[in-house]
Amino acid sequence: MSNLLTTADEILASARILIMSGGYNGFSYADIAGIVGIRKASIHHHFPSKVDLVRTLVQRYREEGEAGVAALEQNVQDPLELLKIYAGYWAQCIEDASRPFCVCALLASELPSLPPEVAAEVRAFFRFVSTWLTSVMERGSQQGALRLSSEPRVEAEAFMASVHGAMLSARAYGAPEMFAAILAPTLERLSPAVVQ
Amino acid sequence: MSNLLTTADEILASARILIMSGGYNGFSYADIAGIVGIRKASIHHHFPSKVDLVRTLVQRYREEGEAGVAALEQNVQDPLELLKIYAGYWAQCIEDASRPFCVCALLASELPSLPPEVAAEVRAFFRFVSTWLTSVMERGSQQGALRLSSEPRVEAEAFMASVHGAMLSARAYGAPEMFAAILAPTLERLSPAVVQ
DNA sequence: TGTTGTCTACCTTCTAGTAGGGATGCTGTC
DNA sequence: GACAGCATCCCTACTAGAAGGTAGACAACA
């Protein structure tokens, strides 16, 4: 363990990058082996099958997301600010490396052809984000910090859909700034202070 | 030609269904052969390579879309109605077969790993939809038939992103009705008549 | 007679996955 | 401290099957 990351972590990180680029069927153990610098067979030692690998990846992805949200909630109370930070996180990811894309958004588009174990984890991720955003919308509505035009749950789903769709557009146009441009009016609309 | 469809058309139709399920890397010539009822080699007679096949598919997809929009514009003038029909088209697609998904939205998520020829066609599709929606937004704004909160182009991109994101969510939850539920407030917001 | 469409048979390369060997290092026991 | 035993990790070498693609024969047809 001379490195900061274990081999298993390096494998997961490589798989994440590869999935963000081409989805579940868009990468192979050989690709990972090339990046990490070990042999294909060694990957099977850490993750017996591809399903194991991707299931673990998505599971950790959700756990990291849950931890990140928990930490965020401790520092930031304002619901509108939380939504802006959430959108800003993705804006930054997309602009930095131009490639990044929410692993789960990408996998969700392949859902019908995904191994069941992986599909279940992807659905769990969607439920997690949806639940969190709904709670933010509810608080915002109660506190008057957000101006909702429909029920919190629907507003949360619409917001998440905007984020995912904007990612897609940014990728399609090869224009990272498109993400922020699409999200801006959505956030504006949710802001309470503006008097028309 | 005993059938209504030529073999080439059947191949394209099968490829479409398969791509809607698992994307570019999620299907093979063997899959198509199985559906159409011919041998792998026969597919190569119609489409020498997989790239040829998918490029043709996406190109036709856009042409059909352009023709559909042109026909629609002749029958419907009201911009809000056009947006509702556009959203309704996808809502119906998703609810009918539960699997359908805009081929180009799905391919866009795989963009970085797509063959360049296919990627170019996918981008062309996004430009087409964006251009059309922008023109609808512009007209709607001028006529007072739509209430925009930002520039027509941005509003068009945001609308398209909502549609794509809503497709993703509907797929992730396995709940087709989620699509309409997400789009409803978006359409409501664009409606001019409502007086708060 | 040439064109079109399909077939069988084959090729190469890539796929996930397996078997088993060799090195390293930790741990309990004398 | 020495050593046996064991787990960890990575390796080479391999498999079976699937991938996209090719060559060439055959039949139907205009």
Side-chain angles (χ1 to χ4, degrees):
Chain A
M1 206 192 282
S2 62
N3 210 330
L4 279 170
L5 290 170
T6 65
T7 304
D9 287 336
E10 284 191 67
I11 292 168
L12 286 171
S14 313
R16 187 141 135 181
I17 291 169
L18 290 165
I19 288 178
M20 286 192 298
S21 160
Y24 185 84
N25 292 304
F27 79 99
S28 72
Y29 270 37
D31 296 326
I32 296 178
I35 296 176
V36 177
I38 55 174
R39 298 297 164 136
K40 264 188 355 170
S42 305
I43 303 173
H44 283 282
H45 174 259
H46 297 278
F47 303 98
S49 77
K50 194 176 179 179
V51 170
D52 288 314
L53 169 56
V54 181
R55 188 175 35 72
T56 305
L57 169 60
V58 178
Q59 192 183 316
R60 291 245 188 122
Y61 192 71
R62 193 188 74 239
E63 287 166 3
E64 284 169 24
E66 287 170 349
V69 161
L72 179 62
E73 292 261 11
Q74 292 220 313
N75 297 323
V76 180
Q77 273 78 44
D78 180 38
L80 180 63
E81 195 58 28
L82 286 170
L83 297 181
K84 283 184 179 171
I85 289 171
Y86 176 68
Y89 168 76
W90 284 112
Q92 205 184 333
C93 279
I94 291 167
E95 288 186 23
D96 274 2
S98 98
R99 310 181 95 205
F101 199 92
C102 174
V103 165
C104 287
L106 208 151
L107 290 176
S109 57
E110 300 179 295
L111 256 191
S113 72
L114 243 38
E117 300 94 322
V118 176
E121 286 296 337
V122 171
R123 284 194 209 96
F125 182 85
F126 267 77
R127 279 197 301 273
F128 150 60
V129 177
S130 163
T131 303
W132 175 61
L133 287 176
T134 301
S135 83
V136 173
M137 295 290 179
E138 275 169 356
R139 272 176 285 160
S141 180
Q142 284 163 10
Q143 300 169 11
L146 289 178
R147 186 177 44 170
L148 306 192
S149 49
S150 38
E151 290 171 23
R153 171 76 202 284
V154 173
E155 205 76 45
E157 295 292 351
F159 186 77
M160 186 167 67
S162 286
V163 168
H164 291 153
M167 275 182 201
L168 207 63
S169 296
R171 169 161 280 192
Y173 295 123
E177 71 279 7
M178 180 65 75
F179 180 85
I182 292 175
L183 261 291
T186 304
L187 288 165
E188 181 66 25
R189 182 170 50 80
L190 288 162
S191 304
V194 183
V195 180
Q196 177 146 14
Chain B
M1 206 192 282
S2 62
N3 210 330
L4 280 170
L5 289 171
T6 64
T7 303
D9 287 335
E10 285 191 68
I11 291 169
L12 286 170
S14 312
R16 191 141 132 180
I17 291 169
L18 290 166
I19 288 179
M20 287 191 298
S21 160
Y24 185 83
N25 292 306
F27 79 100
S28 73
Y29 270 36
D31 295 326
I32 295 178
I35 296 175
V36 176
I38 56 175
R39 298 296 164 139
K40 263 190 350 170
S42 306
I43 303 174
H44 284 282
H45 175 259
H46 297 278
F47 303 98
S49 76
K50 192 176 180 180
V51 170
D52 288 314
L53 170 57
V54 180
R55 187 174 36 72
T56 306
L57 169 60
V58 178
Q59 193 181 316
R60 293 245 187 122
Y61 191 73
R62 193 188 74 239
E63 287 165 4
E64 283 168 24
E66 287 169 349
V69 161
L72 180 62
E73 293 260 12
Q74 292 220 313
N75 296 324
V76 180
Q77 273 78 44
D78 180 39
L80 180 62
E81 196 58 29
L82 285 170
L83 297 183
K84 283 184 180 170
I85 289 171
Y86 175 68
Y89 168 75
W90 284 115
Q92 205 183 333
C93 278
I94 292 168
E95 287 187 23
D96 275 4
S98 97
R99 310 181 95 206
F101 200 92
C102 175
V103 165
C104 287
L106 208 152
L107 290 176
S109 57
E110 299 180 295
L111 257 191
S113 73
L114 243 38
E117 301 94 320
V118 175
E121 286 296 337
V122 171
R123 285 194 208 96
F125 182 86
F126 267 77
R127 279 196 300 272
F128 150 61
V129 177
S130 163
T131 303
W132 174 61
L133 286 176
T134 301
S135 82
V136 173
M137 294 292 178
E138 275 169 356
R139 271 176 286 160
S141 179
Q142 283 161 12
Q143 298 168 14
L146 288 177
R147 185 180 42 170
L148 306 192
S149 49
S150 38
E151 290 172 23
R153 170 77 202 285
V154 173
E155 205 76 43
E157 295 292 351
F159 186 76
M160 186 166 68
S162 286
V163 168
H164 290 154
M167 277 183 199
L168 206 64
S169 295
R171 168 160 280 192
Y173 295 123
E177 71 279 6
M178 181 65 75
F179 180 85
I182 291 175
L183 262 291
T186 304
L187 288 164
E188 180 66 24
R189 182 171 50 82
L190 289 161
S191 303
V194 183
V195 179
Q196 175 143 15

